[in-house]
Amino acid sequence: MDIAFAAPSLPNSGALVVGVLDQRKLTPSAAHLNKLTDGALERAIDANGFAGKRGELLEIVAPAGLNNSRILLVGMGAPAKLTVKDLRNLGGSVAAHLLRVREVKAAVLLDKLRGGKAAPERAANYALGAVLRSYRFDKYKTKEKPEKKPRLKEIKFHLEDAAAAKKAFQRLQKLADGVFLTRDLVSEPANVIFPKSFVAEARKLGKLGIKVQALGEKEMAKLGMGSLLGVGQGSAHEPQLLVMVWQGAPNAKDKQPLAFVGKGVTFDTGGISLKPAAGMEDMKWDMGGAGTVIGLMKALAGRKAKVNVVGICGLVENMPSSTAQRPGDIVTSMSGQTIEVLNTDAEGRLVLADALWYVQERFKPKLIVDLATLTGAIIISLGHENAGLFSNDDKLSDQLTAAGKEVGELVWRMPLSSDYDKLIDCDAADMKNISGGRAGGSITAAQFLQRFIKNGTPWAHLDIAGVAWSAKEKATVPKGGTGFGVQLLDSFVAKHHEK
Ligand code: BES
Ligand code: MN
Ligand code: ZN
């Protein structure tokens, strides 16, 4: 689907999309169409009890007096209150509707509205929402009938400052490219995406100016990464530590990078602590944290973000086999701390332990955000509406929470404290990888990670197990891989680290 921007005009074919404000107030474009159709818009609004509430849609098919296929009325609510999230959601809902009714082409007529964001910015975010919703992972459907394939070819936004909107959208298109990469990788099955093929995908980002490097088993063994390597030792696929570096900061004094670290378990069977068969296929997306990190790197480099960033992905496959790690094994992490592995299914934290230590040793980052589909327990706590946020830093935590609200990727802060930390103390080693009970499972996992964060490094951990994949459609997210976190972190970086 193409997005275009053009000067105000009234195309005489395809769908026309116009806004209605709260209290059924017609925008100037809607009022114009109402006149051209002899009051059809007002009659439709009356007949349907349409209130102009944000996100409400009402369609007039084959409007008399016009050659267009349809007029789609879009409730905008109060224009002064339209946030970035609202606009993206509106665009998403409009695209979903146009796809469902099998429209081919649409023109969105945008007006200057009093209050709120400027029209170009509104148009660009509206367009991004439409793009995000039109995503489809259909490469393995070889027999889909042409009449089932989406027909929507173009959405054109008509507004006075079309050039400014186009420019604002160029940046957002890069963001969509990043989200789509994340969604693609999360959607791919584990026979296609495994540690080395994930690295091969990352190498493609070289053309954007990202430096890509991967450590294999030998290099990691030399560095003493016994924790990560223990998880991968049962698999025929060699583990990889992927390092992506983007240097966009203009000033030498901003050299210290931001670090994003992702859990990349390309398939999680649970290992010898094997998971039940039902639903195990979901564990192909246990690399969702790594998927978000690579998508974010693509978005940042794509828009030439003025910031230094490193992205690290710990890539392993967790398999049961004669070479697999056993419950009770004791491993030594790169940090020197020893871990008794009491459950081989609590593997994400073992992978992150070495990835986190490595990024601190090598890059001395300004801050670290890690992302991981770490615990089923976070789904019990927060469902699918919020990711869990754990942090040792109130400022970082507040900034991430605010960025999430702005773009509609919500995070909810959870506690950390020494009382929880005690629960992973261990008789046989420095720590154990599970607490042994089910209570506070996401928190004890986060406490484990914190044992690998050096004092003084601002750190946040996002447990995205409940939000990386969606069984239901949402405004800007079709069913499947969501790309959660790419928009949030792009916004966080832009707001706090690019000036
Ligand atoms: N990858 C899973 C967590 C998960 C579960 C993500 C469901 C998405 C949906 C993780 O590796 C895991 O297995 N965690 C265990 C930890 C337990 C053994 C302490 C869990 O949550 O059950
Ligand atoms: Mn697991
Ligand atoms: Zn896992």
Side-chain angles (χ1 to χ4, degrees):
M1 184 192 67
D2 292 330
I3 294 289
F5 298 90
S9 77
L10 196 64
N12 61 5
S13 65
L16 298 173
V17 182
V18 288
V20 178
L21 308 179
D22 54 350
Q23 292 165 354
R24 305 170 154 212
K25 191 170 176 321
L26 300 186
T27 54
S29 301
H32 182 58
L33 288 182
N34 189 49
K35 230 189 246 156
L36 291 178
T37 56
D38 253 334
L41 274 69
E42 269 172 345
R43 286 199 305 281
I45 286 171
D46 277 344
N48 253 272
F50 183 88
K53 272 193 287 190
R54 196 183 309 127
E56 227 179 320
L57 297 180
L58 175 59
E59 180 181 71
I60 304 168
V61 181
L66 292 173
N67 192 42
N68 302 84
S69 54
R70 68 194 79 238
I71 296 173
L72 183 59
L73 304 180
V74 183
M76 316 264 290
K81 289 197 188 136
L82 281 174
T83 62
V84 164
K85 173 197 80 179
D86 296 334
L87 290 158
R88 291 179 189 180
N89 283 350
L90 279 182
S93 307
V94 167
H97 182 90
L98 295 170
L99 285 162
R100 192 166 53 75
V101 300
R102 308 196 51 69
E103 182 55 80
V104 177
K105 134 186 141 165
V108 179
L109 312 181
L110 290 174
D111 304 277
K112 279 207 170 125
L113 300 175
R114 217 166 303 162
K117 301 205 181 310
E121 206 196 331
R122 273 194 287 121
N125 280 291
Y126 200 130
L128 173 63
V131 170
L132 290 175
R133 182 57 185 265
S134 65
Y135 173 84
R136 249 178 141 227
F137 185 79
D138 56 5
K139 64 191 272 201
Y140 297 113
K141 288 180 82 77
T142 64
K143 298 213 159 101
E144 194 173 41
K145 300 211 174 73
E147 61 269 26
K148 288 265 161 157
K149 296 230 189 270
R151 295 217 305 169
L152 191 56
K153 290 277 171 309
E154 183 191 71
I155 303 182
K156 198 179 258 182
F157 292 83
H158 293 266
L159 73 163
E160 251 157 48
D161 205 350
K166 188 172 174 187
K167 187 150 177 259
F169 179 71
Q170 271 163 5
R171 175 186 180 288
L172 296 184
Q173 175 67 61
K174 302 299 176 190
L175 183 54
D177 293 346
V179 172
F180 285 9
L181 174 58
T182 304
R183 288 179 182 175
D184 283 347
L185 293 178
V186 164
S187 304
E188 287 284 3
N191 59 330
V192 174
I193 287 296
F194 43 83
K196 276 194 170 154
S197 61
F198 191 108
V199 168
E201 291 300 319
R203 295 214 189 275
K204 295 182 187 165
L205 302 185
K207 63 177 185 293
L208 297 176
I210 295 176
K211 279 186 217 127
V212 180
Q213 184 197 359
L215 312 192
E217 199 171 332
K218 266 208 195 111
E219 288 112 316
M220 286 193 271
K222 240 195 209 153
L223 291 168
M225 295 190 173
S227 183
L228 186 154
L229 289 174
V231 177
Q233 77 188 32
S235 170
H237 288 296
E238 185 187 342
Q240 302 280 302
L241 189 81
L242 170 63
V243 181
M244 295 170 281
V245 180
W246 167 251
Q247 284 180 302
N251 301 318
K253 72 168 173 48
D254 296 329
K255 251 169 81 182
Q256 234 192 327
L258 311 177
F260 298 99
V261 178
K263 167 178 171 181
V265 175
T266 57
F267 197 76
D268 181 13
T269 63
I272 297 297
S273 312
L274 193 63
K275 286 182 181 296
M280 199 198 277
E281 65 278 7
D282 282 353
M283 287 301 114
K284 74 172 183 182
W285 47 263
D286 208 20
M287 36 54 71
T292 298
V293 170
I294 189 175
L296 175 68
M297 295 302 291
K298 182 171 188 181
L300 293 175
R303 68 174 178 79
K304 304 205 166 21
K306 294 186 173 54
V307 60
N308 290 350
V309 178
V310 302
I312 305 272
C313 298
L315 299 164
V316 299
E317 185 180 51
N318 188 20
M319 295 293 267
S321 76
S322 73
T323 62
Q325 168 157 268
R326 294 141 293 243
D329 282 5
I330 296 178
V331 295
T332 303
S333 66
M334 184 185 177
S335 74
Q337 300 178 93
T338 56
I339 305 158
E340 187 180 20
V341 179
L342 290 178
N343 188 319
T344 63
D345 196 13
E347 84 296 342
R349 63 200 77 182
L350 297 170
V351 172
L352 287 173
D354 281 336
L356 288 167
W357 196 260
Y358 177 83
V359 77
Q360 292 168 94
E361 288 278 291
R362 176 162 169 199
F363 294 99
K364 315 256 174 311
K366 219 186 276 181
L367 57 84
I368 304 174
V369 179
D370 79 68
L371 299 110
T373 49
L374 202 63
T375 65
I378 201 69
I379 309 177
I380 306 300
S381 306
L382 299 174
H384 302 286
E385 315 306 327
N386 276 274
L389 161 65
F390 300 82
S391 181
N392 61 3
D393 189 282
D394 292 346
K395 182 172 138 204
L396 175 58
S397 180
D398 290 349
Q399 289 175 346
L400 291 171
T401 304
K405 268 201 189 135
E406 189 202 357
V407 303
E409 293 181 333
L410 300 178
V411 302
W412 192 264
R413 192 169 183 185
M414 303 278 288
L416 289 168
S417 79
S418 56
D419 293 323
Y420 294 110
D421 179 76
K422 280 204 289 258
L423 301 176
I424 51 170
D425 283 344
C426 176
D427 294 336
D430 297 335
M431 69 193 88
K432 48 191 180 184
N433 77 329
I434 54 167
S435 71
R438 299 211 305 163
S442 306
I443 308 174
T444 47
Q447 291 294 164
F448 183 97
L449 299 182
Q450 194 174 10
R451 290 195 182 202
F452 298 88
I453 300 297
K454 296 184 183 180
N455 273 338
T457 307
W459 158 76
H461 155 59
L462 298 178
D463 191 335
I464 59 170
V467 295
W469 186 269
S470 182
K472 285 189 310 216
E473 314 182 322
K474 294 186 179 169
T476 59
V477 188
K479 278 186 212 173
T482 62
F484 183 99
V486 177
Q487 294 176 77
L488 185 165
L489 293 172
D490 173 76
S491 164
F492 163 75
V493 170
K495 195 157 206 159
H496 301 292
H497 295 282
E498 282 192 73
K499 259 143 234 163

